[in-house]
Amino acid sequence: MSGFTVLGDTDGEITYRMMVADDVDKVIASLTSAFSDEPTTAAGGATAKDLTAFLQLFVPRMVDKSVLATSEGVVVGAMLSKDYSNPDPEEEFAGFMAALEGDWLPALTAIGECEEAFNSSFGVPPEVRPAEKWFQLWNCGVDPAWRGKGIGKKLVSHSVAIAKEQGFESCFSITTSGGMTHILTNHPESSVEHFVDYATWTGAETAECLRALPSQGHQGMSLCVVRLWGESKRSTRGGSAEDE
């Protein structure tokens, strides 16, 4: 994080800053509300208990890479991010899955498909991944009362800038909603590398619950990639065009 300053909004209403350890509980509470209408888990009947348990597993692991939007000290939005080299909490996640009240199978299976597509396209090794190579824009949420102010777009822009400053080669995000897909696909140097069509995808036994999402403005799940360095810059960092 050295040297990077996240600037606040010019009107002073919103301050953007890095998350610190003392923010974890506030971020979990804020994002439990913000993620309540995330389309794929909501379609499966995810509960607030589910969402809180999910965030408790992951938020503490993303302190050093995540950006918050705050107003008068209250967290109103967050872009949770991590170095893709950091492993997920597999044992704890098994317990989370066993205790779920909603059906998360379609959401998690589609996310897994997108991650596999990224791994294949970018040569991600199956076990130990190199650090500071791929920056994962893991999940973004904005409190419903604060939406429509461009907060999600700024959270993404700040996070991409941080990843570039820290020397990552690319950012990627698996977007599940129409709004976040719009933000990522309109970011400079971005591309959609894989797409799961909610209207037709049959990758999970209960995928039928996703069929209504296109009529709600959510066409599908997209693997969006932002390439951070041109060929000449990658070369100076000890890589080449072929490394990507």
Side-chain angles (χ1 to χ4, degrees):
M1 268 314 304
S2 59
F4 189 88
T5 301
V6 182
L7 300 177
D9 269 352
T10 54
D11 65 5
E13 185 179 18
I14 306 292
T15 299
Y16 295 88
R17 62 173 177 83
M18 299 304 299
M19 181 167 71
V20 297
D22 287 346
D23 293 317
V24 167
D25 289 342
K26 292 184 289 185
V27 170
I28 290 171
S30 176
L31 292 186
T32 294
S33 173
F35 290 166
S36 64
D37 58 357
E38 187 285 314
T40 60
T41 52
T47 64
K49 180 182 176 181
D50 291 345
L51 294 168
T52 298
F54 181 66
L55 291 164
Q56 286 171 336
L57 279 182
F58 288 97
V59 171
R61 305 166 71 89
M62 300 187 182
V63 168
D64 65 333
K65 295 287 189 282
S66 299
V67 179
L68 303 185
T70 66
S71 178
E72 298 181 351
V74 176
V75 176
V76 299
M79 178 77 250
L80 300 176
S81 302
K82 68 170 188 170
D83 187 326
Y84 195 43
S85 68
N86 294 338
D88 290 331
E90 293 185 6
E91 291 186 10
E92 296 93 331
F93 195 75
F96 161 76
M97 290 294 292
L100 279 175
E101 296 178 340
D103 177 13
W104 287 49
L105 182 63
L108 295 176
T109 303
I111 289 169
E113 180 180 311
C114 289
E115 285 190 346
E116 288 178 8
F118 180 82
N119 294 346
S120 176
S121 295
F122 286 80
V124 179
E127 296 183 3
V128 180
R129 301 167 181 168
E132 297 183 350
K133 189 175 179 71
W134 304 293
F135 190 91
Q136 185 174 11
L137 302 169
W138 188 79
N139 232 322
C140 185
V142 177
D143 186 286
W146 289 84
R147 293 175 186 171
K149 299 178 181 292
I151 293 174
K153 183 177 180 180
K154 284 199 171 185
L155 287 168
V156 168
S157 294
H158 285 314
S159 298
V160 171
I162 289 166
K164 188 169 185 178
E165 184 187 72
Q166 293 186 355
F168 285 82
E169 291 185 5
S170 62
C171 292
F172 77 95
S173 182
I174 299 169
T175 63
T176 64
S177 69
M180 191 51 57
T181 300
H182 176 77
I183 290 172
L184 263 296
T185 54
N186 281 277
H187 195 281
E189 305 302 322
S190 69
S191 62
V192 175
E193 302 289 331
H194 189 76
F195 180 71
V196 171
D197 188 339
Y198 294 146
T200 59
W201 183 72
T202 58
E205 184 177 350
T206 52
E208 189 67 27
C209 71
L210 305 178
R211 298 292 177 258
L213 295 183
S215 66
Q216 300 169 18
H218 312 295
Q219 298 303 315
M221 187 178 294
S222 297
L223 169 62
C224 300
V225 177
V226 179
R227 290 167 172 79
L228 300 175
W229 302 108
E231 181 175 349
S232 60
K233 183 65 175 179
R234 285 199 302 275
S235 179
T236 65
R237 298 180 66 243
S240 66
E242 286 74 21
D243 290 339
E244 204 171 52

